[in-house]
Amino acid sequence: MSDTPSLPLILAGPILRKTTSSELVLWFVTSAPIVEGEFQLYADADQALIYQASLSSQPSMTVGQHAHVVCAQFKGAFPANVALSYDLIINNQSLVALMPSLLYVDEVRPTFRISHKADYLLHGSCRNPHHSSKDALIQADLKVEKQPLEARPDMLMMSGDQIYADHVAGPMLDAIHQVCELLGLKQETFSDAPIANSQALYAHPRCYYQRDRLLPSYIDDSHWLSRWLPARYSPIFSSRECENHLITFAEFFAMYLLVWSPSLWQLINLDRLADRGFQHGNQPLAKSDIALWHKEKHEIQQFVAGLPNVQRLMAHIPTYMIFDDHDITDDWNLTVGWEKAALDNPFSKRIIGNGLIAYWLCQGWGNEPDNFGHELLDLAHRFAQSDHQHNQSHDDLIRYLYHFEQWHYTVNSQPKVVVLDTRTRRWRSESRMNKPSGLMDWEALIEFQQQLMHQDKVIVVSAAPMFGVKFIEALQKSMTLLGQPLLIDAENWMAHPGSANTLLSIFTHTKTPTNFVILSGDVHYSFAYDIKLRFRKSSPNIYQITCSGFKNQFPEPLLGICDHIDRAIYSPRSPLNYLTKRKRLKVFKRDPDTQGERRLVNSSAVGELKLDPHGKPQEIAILTGEGKSIYFPPTQESL
């Protein structure tokens, strides 16, 4: 890495976010403040400039000496369902000149269309940079490249785990630290922590592959045997792969730049630690860690090679996002006991808060900018401008985000898209501290129901499947009964009686939609279910469609075993269904058009959904990281 590297002007993005006839939102990060800039919108048919607006007056956030986040929101009257293109002129430099690789063949500028519909969606979740599977977003980009504009997807819906903050490869963590240095990202100090500040963390001998020894623990007295057993300490961050867990705000933010853009990778030396003899903090890495480093480095290099495609895709297709656990940490708000332990510890509260700040800046802000008012922006500016020796503004921003209740949003298309926050408004168990919380509390579920009233069709985005694989849910329940809900993330909609029954009541309400399509991810495999009410002739049509992950898979042969048992004991006519909370529902499991009898597809993939004018699926498919399309045709029983 050069001593005086020349930073690219655009570090990440542009990502096309919200697009309506009255509002356009673009997100990007620059290495220099925008002294003079302009957004230009063209009618692509005759290349006529139809709208222009200053960039220098757009909301932005300076988070480092060379890092400026811009969430540009343009309001006006924009034509729908026609070819449009855009350019950014930043400090007298054009986006097209700066980033020609952003364009598809024969494009002059990035093209897009504003669609009032949501009848063709790309969707999915779980993009782990160092997983051995291929990045399915690359294949999505290659497909969009061949499609005429009018045939492109209406949106890309990313339903969680856009980053893996709790499962970071060693080479990725070193790349993150190089970005922190290159951009002069904010430093911070800690209280009640084994390190004093971010610089001490980066220099600590346990910075790589041993961070689990720095992360906080708590006395877990929630187990039913705890009254007779000695007190035991449990880690707050209990992910099995948390040896490189992100801690500082700068680390969280840098990872977003590195997973969405190739721009900074040209300045990254992935051999930096190897060149130092794998010494860090005067302590050599263990031999096993060195071997793992080389394996992870290979996967990271493959990941980086595909980033130009991912960047190009998100510059052309309106992209919406919502968080799930790994965007912050594995057990995020899983139980009330975990929440209490995490919030009572200043160090863990800071780590989770840093993840929330980075999520807001890089994901949440662009979904619905109007949800984030002046109070939040003022707190964020104070945080950005504060000296790292003074924690008050940092803590004030985290405190605000902990109590923020507008992460959810809707896309007012046809059908309406309702995106749920299933992480921060939990229905907490009142009986046991270590019992799983409901994914949404009663108030949040009632607000959800209000969004559905008098709609004939709707798309619901829930990070975790509302109707999952019953046998796997039964395994999760058994772990809960044994007092170990964190062991296999006993986290599903049916795990909490209150939220489960309220959710099922919503589906049976007569004034809610005729056609529900539920899009989910989270589980690292893909499937599709058709669902009917058992005891009602005019049953709504419910479709649970799950695609996960973009770059992740479930362990084999475990998934095959679970799939086989689930098919054997939980068929639609199985009497075991009457022992579950879903006894009012009949679930028909679609068979993918693959060889064999498996209904769960274990491949990295991006989901493709096409709906008819009534909101019923015309085509349910996944496009795998290998470029193969797998379809889920309807069952004869559910037709």
Side-chain angles (χ1 to χ4, degrees):
M1 189 169 59
S2 169
D3 290 333
T4 56
S6 177
L7 289 170
L9 179 58
I10 297 180
L11 303 175
I15 300 179
L16 189 61
R17 301 302 311 271
K18 184 179 181 182
T19 56
T20 72
S21 292
S22 59
E23 185 178 359
L24 297 176
V25 178
L26 275 177
W27 180 93
F28 55 95
V29 182
T30 62
S31 60
I34 300 177
V35 177
E36 183 179 353
E38 186 174 81
F39 169 75
Q40 298 176 344
L41 183 68
Y42 293 82
D44 217 49
D46 56 4
Q47 304 299 316
L49 178 65
I50 60 173
Y51 178 88
Q52 55 190 342
S54 170
L55 287 176
S56 56
S57 60
Q58 289 297 320
S60 65
M61 199 67 56
T62 299
V63 296
Q65 185 179 357
H66 305 293
H68 310 271
V69 183
V70 181
C71 186
Q73 181 186 31
F74 308 104
K75 294 192 174 183
F78 307 114
N81 297 312
V82 298
L84 302 172
S85 63
Y86 67 90
D87 201 356
L88 300 173
I89 311 299
I90 303 174
N91 299 346
N92 297 316
Q93 299 185 73
S94 165
L95 171 67
V96 175
L98 287 168
M99 307 174 72
S101 62
L102 209 62
L103 305 180
Y104 290 126
V105 177
D106 298 328
E107 279 189 334
V108 178
R109 291 170 294 272
T111 58
F112 71 103
R113 65 186 172 91
I114 298 170
S115 175
H116 291 152
K117 296 182 179 180
D119 52 15
Y120 177 20
L121 285 80
L122 300 179
H123 67 100
S125 71
C126 306
R127 189 159 167 261
N128 186 343
H130 66 278
H131 193 271
S132 58
S133 58
K134 293 188 176 180
D135 191 346
L137 289 181
I138 297 172
Q139 294 298 327
D141 172 71
L142 295 176
K143 183 166 186 174
V144 168
E145 181 179 31
K146 298 173 184 176
Q147 293 173 317
L149 183 67
E150 63 274 10
R152 288 182 188 171
D154 297 303
M155 67 180 70
L156 167 63
M157 180 59 67
M158 304 176 80
S159 58
D161 300 342
Q162 278 66 258
I163 65 170
Y164 273 70
D166 55 347
H167 188 194
V168 181
M172 174 64 84
L173 186 58
D174 186 40
I176 286 169
H177 292 159
Q178 292 181 52
V179 169
C180 292
E181 296 170 16
L182 285 166
L183 304 185
L185 296 182
K186 275 188 68 65
Q187 300 177 25
E188 60 186 284
T189 57
F190 304 110
S191 60
D192 295 325
I195 64 270
N197 52 48
S198 51
Q199 295 308 106
L201 170 66
Y202 304 154
H204 200 281
R206 288 180 173 167
C207 183
Y208 292 93
Y209 296 111
Q210 296 186 59
R211 287 189 169 199
D212 51 324
R213 302 186 187 185
L214 301 176
L215 296 173
S217 298
Y218 70 106
I219 297 177
D220 183 4
D221 57 1
S222 60
H223 195 276
W224 61 277
L225 289 174
S226 61
R227 69 187 66 178
W228 298 289
L229 295 176
R232 60 179 185 136
Y233 282 86
S234 295
I236 294 175
F237 300 92
S238 66
S239 170
R240 291 183 297 277
E241 296 91 6
C242 66
E243 295 89 350
N244 289 322
H245 200 300
L246 301 184
I247 291 177
T248 68
F249 163 74
E251 289 177 334
F252 277 94
F253 178 73
M255 188 166 191
Y256 279 108
L257 302 185
L258 292 174
V259 301
W260 284 345
S261 172
S263 299
L264 282 166
W265 282 102
Q266 61 187 311
L267 304 175
I268 300 300
N269 177 13
L270 276 177
D271 292 317
R272 184 172 74 158
L273 275 186
D275 294 341
R276 297 174 179 175
F278 291 104
Q279 292 270 137
H280 186 76
N282 298 319
Q283 179 174 312
L285 297 185
K287 288 184 179 180
S288 59
D289 293 335
I290 295 173
L292 180 58
W293 177 283
H294 288 297
K295 179 179 181 297
E296 291 174 337
K297 177 189 168 186
H298 172 74
E299 300 299 343
I300 293 295
Q301 287 174 323
Q302 296 295 315
F303 175 79
V304 172
L307 285 176
N309 296 92
V310 176
Q311 183 182 44
R312 186 171 66 169
L313 174 69
M314 294 196 292
H316 286 79
I317 303 297
T319 302
Y320 296 87
M321 309 175 189
I322 191 65
F323 45 45
D324 203 8
D325 49 357
H326 296 291
D327 293 295
I328 307 296
T329 193
D330 186 37
D331 297 325
W332 187 27
N333 295 345
L334 183 60
T335 68
V336 65
W338 186 93
E339 279 193 71
K340 185 177 185 303
L343 292 179
D344 285 350
N345 185 290
F347 190 32
S348 61
K349 186 175 182 180
R350 170 63 67 82
I351 295 169
I352 297 162
N354 285 337
L356 276 174
I357 297 172
Y359 170 79
W360 166 65
L361 274 173
C362 300
Q363 296 195 60
W365 200 2
N367 290 324
E368 184 57 87
D370 288 341
N371 278 358
F372 307 99
H374 292 296
E375 185 179 2
L376 172 55
L377 294 175
D378 289 344
L379 287 169
H381 280 296
R382 280 183 228 156
F383 158 71
Q385 295 165 6
S386 65
D387 183 89
H388 72 277
Q389 297 293 337
H390 300 91
N391 282 336
Q392 189 61 50
S393 59
H394 198 154
D395 293 338
D396 288 345
L397 177 57
I398 288 174
R399 189 178 303 109
Y400 183 92
L401 293 177
Y402 263 111
H403 294 95
F404 186 75
E405 292 191 343
Q406 283 187 280
W407 297 116
H408 59 286
Y409 59 96
T410 61
V411 182
N412 290 313
S413 52
Q414 284 295 323
K416 177 192 280 189
V417 180
V418 181
V419 185
L420 303 179
D421 166 10
T422 60
R423 301 304 319 188
T424 74
R425 299 181 68 185
R426 293 260 169 145
W427 194 326
R428 296 165 179 86
S429 173
E430 296 180 0
S431 58
R432 294 206 314 271
M433 295 285 283
N434 66 340
K435 191 174 181 180
S437 298
L439 300 194
M440 290 169 62
D441 64 20
W442 187 84
E443 289 184 356
L445 284 166
I446 295 305
E447 289 177 21
F448 168 47
Q449 184 177 32
Q450 293 302 311
Q451 291 289 345
L452 305 178
M453 298 294 279
H454 309 295
Q455 300 285 323
D456 61 339
K457 54 189 176 180
V458 69
I459 298 171
V460 178
V461 179
S462 167
M466 288 184 170
F467 305 99
V469 178
K470 190 60 202 169
F471 176 68
I472 294 178
E473 292 180 355
L475 288 178
Q476 292 172 330
K477 184 175 181 180
S478 67
M479 289 297 101
T480 298
L481 293 174
L482 292 172
Q484 298 293 328
L486 305 183
L487 188 62
I488 56 171
D489 286 354
E491 186 168 47
N492 59 74
W493 278 92
M494 299 300 128
H496 185 279
S499 60
N501 291 325
T502 305
L503 178 70
L504 294 174
S505 296
I506 290 172
F507 286 116
T508 59
H509 197 287
T510 56
K511 293 183 180 179
T512 50
T514 303
N515 292 308
F516 288 91
V517 173
I518 305 161
L519 299 182
S520 302
D522 179 53
V523 292
H524 302 172
Y525 48 85
S526 301
F527 62 89
Y529 293 166
D530 296 357
I531 302 162
K532 300 277 190 180
L533 301 183
R534 286 186 184 272
F535 310 113
R536 205 167 93 190
K537 289 183 179 179
S538 57
S539 168
N541 302 305
I542 305 168
Y543 306 92
Q544 171 67 68
I545 303 169
T546 302
C547 179
S548 176
F550 287 139
K551 195 177 190 299
N552 217 330
Q553 293 178 213
F554 200 89
E556 289 287 4
L558 179 59
L559 184 65
I561 295 170
C562 292
D563 188 10
H564 179 78
I565 297 174
D566 186 75
R567 284 188 292 109
I569 67 176
Y570 286 111
S571 71
R573 295 183 178 85
S574 169
L576 290 178
N577 290 313
Y578 292 95
L579 303 177
T580 73
K581 296 184 183 72
R582 301 195 311 213
K583 55 183 175 289
R584 287 178 278 172
L585 306 175
K586 186 177 287 189
V587 180
F588 301 95
K589 303 167 185 177
R590 294 195 180 204
D591 293 315
D593 63 346
T594 54
Q595 292 183 343
E597 297 182 347
R598 290 182 59 160
R599 292 191 172 116
L600 307 179
V601 178
N602 197 13
S603 175
S604 64
V606 57
E608 288 192 274
L609 171 66
K610 295 181 180 179
L611 303 176
D612 68 14
H614 302 289
K616 289 186 176 182
Q618 275 186 328
E619 182 181 291
I620 300 173
I622 60 172
L623 177 62
T624 72
E626 302 287 346
K628 179 183 178 182
S629 290
I630 298 175
Y631 297 90
F632 293 83
T635 66
Q636 291 300 314
E637 293 175 294
S638 63
L639 289 174

